[in-house]
Amino acid sequence: MTDDEYRCVINPSVYYAPEKICNFGKPDKINALQKEAVFSMGMTLVHAALLKDLYGCYDYKNSLFYESKLEEMIEGLNERYSESFIEALASIIEPNPSKRPSLLEVQEILNEKWNQTENQSEKPERETEDLK
């Protein structure tokens, strides 16, 4: 079976966490469904940011996940997105589940980044108002 055939059998629309792809058919050693969901969400965000799929990071046939390929793809984001966004995204797609944030922590990270962005966009308006 080819890798594309494996992907179709497994689920073609899901980006699995590395711990999930490496443990197919085995009981989960880590009860981390939430962190798997965080990883999948992050991979979907990277897919949307790059406008291309990330299946090159997976070898379904051999149950492998290639972190180096993911890192290469993340480097491609530097041209389009802020360092702050890339840092937040990198934490969400951390291959090691023990270092990956929970859903609540992701919400906190995103709120913090959002607030930083809003504060930066408000400064020029305030400076302009002060000049009037």
Side-chain angles (χ1 to χ4, degrees), residues 39-56:
F39 185 88
S40 293
M41 176 188 67
M43 291 291 280
T44 303
L45 290 172
V46 174
H47 180 144
L50 291 173
L51 301 175
K52 66 179 186 179
D53 72 54
L54 309 176
Y55 293 120

Side-chain angles (χ1 to χ4, degrees), residues 98-114:
S98 66
K99 294 180 181 178
R100 191 179 312 135
S102 67
L103 286 170
L104 183 59
E105 291 166 331
V106 168
Q107 182 180 7
E108 291 169 1
I109 290 167
L110 296 177
N111 284 339
E112 178 184 317
K113 300 300 180 188
W114 180 265

Side-chain angles (χ1 to χ4, degrees), residues 7 10-17 36 40 43-44 55 58 60:
R7 191 176 79 233
I10 293 170
N11 187 342
S13 62
V14 175
Y15 290 113
Y16 289 104
E36 289 175 11
S40 293
M43 291 291 280
T44 303
Y55 293 120
Y58 295 91
Y60 291 100

Side-chain angles (χ1 to χ4, degrees), residues 14-69:
V14 175
Y15 290 113
Y16 289 104
E19 65 272 19
K20 184 75 171 178
I21 191 75
C22 295
N23 289 317
F24 271 126
K26 303 172 192 167
D28 288 346
K29 294 180 182 176
I30 301 170
N31 185 12
L33 292 176
Q34 188 182 89
K35 291 199 174 191
E36 289 175 11
V38 166
F39 185 88
S40 293
M41 176 188 67
M43 291 291 280
T44 303
L45 290 172
V46 174
H47 180 144
L50 291 173
L51 301 175
K52 66 179 186 179
D53 72 54
L54 309 176
Y55 293 120
C57 297
Y58 295 91
D59 177 350
Y60 291 100
K61 184 176 182 180
N62 297 305
S63 299
L64 297 172
F65 179 80
Y66 300 114
E67 291 179 39
S68 60
K69 289 188 179 184

